[in-house]
Every structure is written in C-alpha cells, then in structure tokens.
Amino acid sequence: MNNEEPLWEVFIRSKQGLDHKHVGSLHAADAQTAIENARDVYTRRMEGVSIWVVESKNIHSSNPDEAASLYDPANDKIYRHPTFYNLPDELKHM
Amino acid sequence: MATEELQKVFDDKIAEEIRIEPKDWMPDDYRKTLIRQISQHAHSEIVGMLPEANWITRAPSLRRKATLLAKVQDEAGHGLYLYSAAETMGITREEMVDQLLSGKAKYSSIFNYPTLTWADIGAIGWLVDGAAIMNQVPLCRASYGPYARAMVRICKEESFHQRQGFEILLTLCKGSKEQKEMAQDALNRWWWPSLMMFGPNDDTSPHTAQSMKWKIKRFSNDELRQKFVDVCNEQADILGITIPDDKLVWNEKRQHYDFGEINWNEFFNVIKGNGPCNKERLAARVSAHENGEWVREAALAYARKKAPKSPSGEFESFRN
Ligand SMILES: [Fe+2]
Ligand SMILES: [Fe+2]
C-alpha cells in the first residue's frame, strides 16, 4: 500500500471580494487535514479568509510546449482591444 | 522540438528574465542543481528549528516564549514551502526526507553548533537569520518560479526573526555586567560560523559561476559575505559589544570593511559531520520521524475509511 500522503494544491482568498489564488502545495491524508495544514502553513499572519484545497492529481494543465498553437487563435485579433479603433481626439467619454 | 531548440528557448527566457515554470523544458543540470539547492535549503529550515527549540521551555518571559515559538513555527513553514517547491521538479517528499535522515543530504552547517545560553537565541536571530536574509533576498529573483515565489514568502517572514534576536541581545546588553558578558560570549561563538554560512570563497566555489549564469544566484558568496560584514559592524556598535576579529577595519579605498581569514578547516570539518552537534541533530530528526509514523498511518487509515462514501459531500462545495 502506498504510504505517502497525497499532495494538495492550496488556494487562498486573501480578502472578501478577491479571487482565490494559488499559494503552494502540501501533503495531507484527507481534505479536512489539508485545510487545517494549509491554515498553519499559509495563513499564520491572517493572509486569508477562505481556503480551497484540490488534490494535485485532479488538476489538468495546458502543455507549455504547445503554447504557440494553443493561443494562436487570439494572436491576430488585435481588434479585440479598444486601442485598435481610430477615433478623433475630440471624442470624449468613450 | 529538438534539444538544441529547447535549449535556445530556455536560454532566451533566462536572458529576458522570464521565469522558468515546472512544466517548461529545462536542462538536466539546471534541474539537478535546483533540486539539490532547494532541498538543502528546506532541510536547513527544518534542522534549524532544533537549536532554538532547545530554549523554548526556558525562555525568560512569556513574551519571549511566544515570539520564539512563533519564530520556530515560521521556520517549519519555510521548510514546507521549500519542499513543495522542490517537488515541482520531480523529486518526492519521501525521497528528500530519506536523504536527510540517512545523512546523504546536507543542511547549513551553522545548525551543528550548540545553543549554550539564552543569549545564543539572540545571536541566532541577529546573525544567523541576518545572514539568511542576505542570502535569500536575491533568491526572490531566482529564475525558477516556484523557488522565487517561496523565497518571497520566506523573506516577508524573516525580518521579524532578526528583530526579535536583536531585541534579546539589546536587552541583555543594557542589563547587568553578567548579562552583557553573556551577549559578548554568544557573539564570539556565533560570529565566525555565521560568516561561513555564505559558503566557500568564490575562487573555491565550483558551482557559483554556472548558478549565476542560470540566474539562480545573483551575487557571489564573497559579495554577500562582504555586505553582511559591513552592516553587522554598525549593529554591534549599537549593542556595545565587539565582533571577535582584530583584522576588522574600515577600508576607505574599497568602501568596505576588511576582515580576517575564516577557518575553512573548521567549516569543511563540520560539513563532513564532525561538528559539535551533527549526530545529535540527525538523531533528533530521525526520532521525530519514527515517532510520528503511527500518526501518519492513523491519518491515512482514517482517510481511506472515509473515502468511499461521498468524496465531495463531506465538505461544502466551493460554490456555496
Ligand atoms: Fe527561515
Ligand atoms: Fe528565520
């Protein structure tokens, strides 16, 4: 039997109104312990008001080697940015 | 992509100060170097708790006890941040713990010195954490993302460590004659080992050049040591105690302090395992690990027992 405690990724909301942000990882036997450990490891100075833990094996990620082709569709669409449009300087509030 | 191409992408990132992230291609030696450095660093944080823990129960007041406890707890946290950064490079926690407990892995040799008096706790905070800060601040810009991020977190926490140490010494230095002597004695014993924390001189430090090319290190061992000597001298004046080095003198031309020769025989001897506390430190780690075995087993058994029921039902979903 594998005796290693699973790895968890820890996400913390630093204050109400902000997103949870990845802060690191830790080992714990289960989710409850992972949350308690995350409190001790990552919020000793009131850094958070909410903690998420996700078992690392459940996180799927894009492959950096394929970044070029993966993001290619957005590459030539600068018209998605407001600065693309030529408008007179006199135009206000837009 | 062919290896040369991948190498070029990697080199360009380093040149442009773009951080390397876990899934990015990296040269084997870069990975090996970082695994060694980060895991040694983690081990140092963990073993570093031992000399100070020695005084927690004997701290002279509740305030000192609470702050020392918080400081030692931070060091445990630092070890954990670093272990998790190292794990992103493909080594497991178990392998690292194994390397430490079997004596295969190194940790900072400073922690193989004993803490004989309460003043040593002050000297450790001032000098050992001070030297660590000198080393760690530039590591916040290390080229490997997870390491750099762990270092940012660590550096934020370190400054209280140094201040609590300095405050301990300042109190002793303002106290009785015996207390001031105790502070001086601690400085005498901790000064040289603290200078050794920066590692061998540049001309005998084989890895420095490559590490600087990879932008893991930003300053050489001797540069950092010099900075440390420069700031400590003034701080010792504030305490009113004397750094135990009769060659320590301001050099107007260099705009730095000159200082005496470090006893490198002692340094290499302690690294080899012959320091005053090497055996004791390792034995303490081994016994902590072995005595914690049943806790880890019980926690896993409990998790397995609960697992099949409802993996998501036990906790509030994050959307609630
Ligand atoms: Fe630390
Ligand atoms: Fe520290």
Side-chain angles (χ1 to χ4, degrees):
Chain A
M1 207 184 289
N2 178 16
N3 268 332
E4 223 174 319
E5 296 183 340
L7 188 65
W8 303 77
E9 300 300 323
V10 180
F11 300 81
I12 289 179
R13 186 201 295 286
S14 58
K15 63 179 207 204
Q16 286 308 106
L18 297 180
D19 289 323
H20 285 75
K21 198 177 147 213
H22 184 245
V23 294
S25 56
L26 49 77
H27 288 270
D30 57 26
Q32 182 63 51
T33 327
I35 288 175
E36 279 159 19
N37 290 356
R39 177 203 57 195
D40 293 342
V41 178
Y42 292 105
T43 66
R44 285 192 304 284
R45 289 173 177 76
M46 315 272 296
E47 289 96 336
V49 295
S50 162
I51 299 172
W52 286 353
V53 293
V54 183
E55 229 187 298
S56 309
K57 67 174 188 203
N58 293 325
I59 292 188
H60 305 270
S61 69
S62 61
N63 184 347
D65 293 345
E66 289 158 9
S69 59
L70 188 66
Y71 302 113
D72 180 63
N75 209 2
D76 56 355
K77 297 182 181 59
I78 48 167
Y79 45 82
R80 281 174 172 161
H81 298 277
T83 45
F84 176 76
Y85 299 90
N86 294 315
L87 297 175
D89 290 346
E90 307 89 83
L91 184 70
K92 299 281 189 255
H93 307 298
M94 191 178 283
Chain B
M1 260 193 266
T3 310
E4 302 98 77
E5 254 179 281
L6 291 165
Q7 177 76 48
K8 172 142 197 334
V9 173
F10 173 85
D11 291 342
D12 289 349
K13 279 189 192 148
I14 298 286
E16 288 167 42
E17 298 281 339
I18 296 171
R19 296 282 172 271
I20 308 299
E21 295 295 343
K23 290 186 83 182
D24 294 344
W25 184 90
M26 60 189 89
D28 280 348
D29 286 343
Y30 178 81
R31 189 185 297 275
K32 267 189 219 146
T33 299
L34 272 168
I35 287 179
R36 183 173 22 92
Q37 180 170 335
I38 303 173
S39 62
Q40 281 181 9
H41 194 161
H43 299 325
S44 302
E45 302 282 355
I46 297 298
V47 177
M49 291 192 280
L50 296 170
E52 289 177 295
N54 181 33
W55 280 91
I56 291 174
T57 55
R58 289 175 288 157
S61 71
L62 197 53
R63 180 179 188 271
R64 294 286 184 223
K65 190 172 185 164
T67 51
L68 181 58
L69 199 55
K71 194 245 184 215
V72 172
Q73 223 179 353
D74 273 355
E75 306 301 1
H78 298 175
L80 294 176
Y81 306 153
L82 289 162
Y83 281 131
S84 81
E87 280 173 281
T88 64
M89 305 206 91
I91 187 168
T92 65
R93 180 74 59 97
E94 276 194 329
E95 285 174 272
M96 287 186 279
V97 171
D98 251 26
Q99 290 173 353
L100 174 65
L101 300 185
S102 67
K104 202 181 139 209
K106 300 265 179 281
Y107 54 85
S108 184
S109 64
I110 190 93
F111 301 118
N112 291 315
Y113 291 85
T115 41
L116 303 178
T117 72
W118 171 249
D120 289 17
I121 301 306
I124 288 181
W126 175 34
L127 298 172
V128 178
D129 287 82
I133 292 169
M134 240 359 137
N135 258 322
Q136 289 169 349
V137 168
L139 289 173
C140 295
R141 294 188 292 132
S143 55
Y144 187 57
Y147 190 31
R149 292 192 286 275
M151 292 317 308
V152 169
R153 196 173 281 281
I154 288 173
C155 285
K156 270 191 208 154
E157 300 182 349
E158 285 291 354
S159 74
F160 118 69
H161 298 181
Q162 198 187 15
R163 292 169 68 101
Q164 68 92 38
F166 198 82
E167 196 192 67
I168 289 171
L169 288 181
L170 196 60
T171 308
L172 290 173
C173 288
K174 284 188 196 150
S176 66
K177 185 170 155 282
E178 286 80 5
Q179 284 174 316
K180 191 165 182 182
E181 279 168 9
M182 201 161 100
Q184 179 67 58
D185 171 62
L187 173 56
N188 292 349
R189 283 180 291 109
W190 289 94
W191 175 252
W192 291 104
S194 299
L195 292 195
M196 295 174 196
M197 282 177 72
F198 296 95
N201 286 130
D202 293 349
D203 48 9
T204 57
S205 171
H207 304 298
T208 295
Q210 182 56 266
S211 277
M212 287 179 79
K213 248 191 237 157
W214 279 328
K215 296 189 181 160
I216 297 171
K217 280 182 94 148
R218 301 281 174 162
F219 299 99
S220 74
N221 297 353
D222 286 331
E223 284 173 318
L224 290 167
R225 188 166 16 240
Q226 180 70 62
K227 275 195 196 185
F228 181 71
V229 172
D230 289 348
V231 300
C232 282
N233 200 51
E234 282 170 27
Q235 294 172 348
D237 286 346
I238 293 172
L239 292 172
I241 47 181
T242 315
I243 289 174
D245 179 359
D246 49 20
K247 298 214 174 73
L248 186 71
V249 57
W250 179 250
N251 183 325
E252 190 61 36
K253 221 165 91 197
R254 291 201 312 126
Q255 288 291 302
H256 286 296
Y257 282 92
D258 290 338
F259 54 99
E261 184 61 28
I262 289 167
N263 181 349
W264 291 113
N265 281 338
E266 176 182 328
F267 176 72
F268 289 112
N269 205 29
V270 177
I271 285 189
K272 266 189 232 140
N274 304 322
C277 301
N278 295 57
K279 291 198 180 70
E280 190 185 325
R281 300 295 182 237
L282 213 55
R285 286 315 310 156
V286 170
S287 121
H289 191 72
E290 286 174 356
N291 289 322
E293 183 72 48
W294 71 270
V295 180
R296 292 190 297 276
E297 266 173 24
L300 278 171
Y302 179 71
R304 284 187 193 118
K305 209 166 137 190
K306 279 185 35 178
K309 280 186 211 154
S310 154
S312 59
E314 291 167 39
F315 297 98
E316 301 283 301
S317 151
F318 72 88
R319 300 211 173 268
N320 293 339

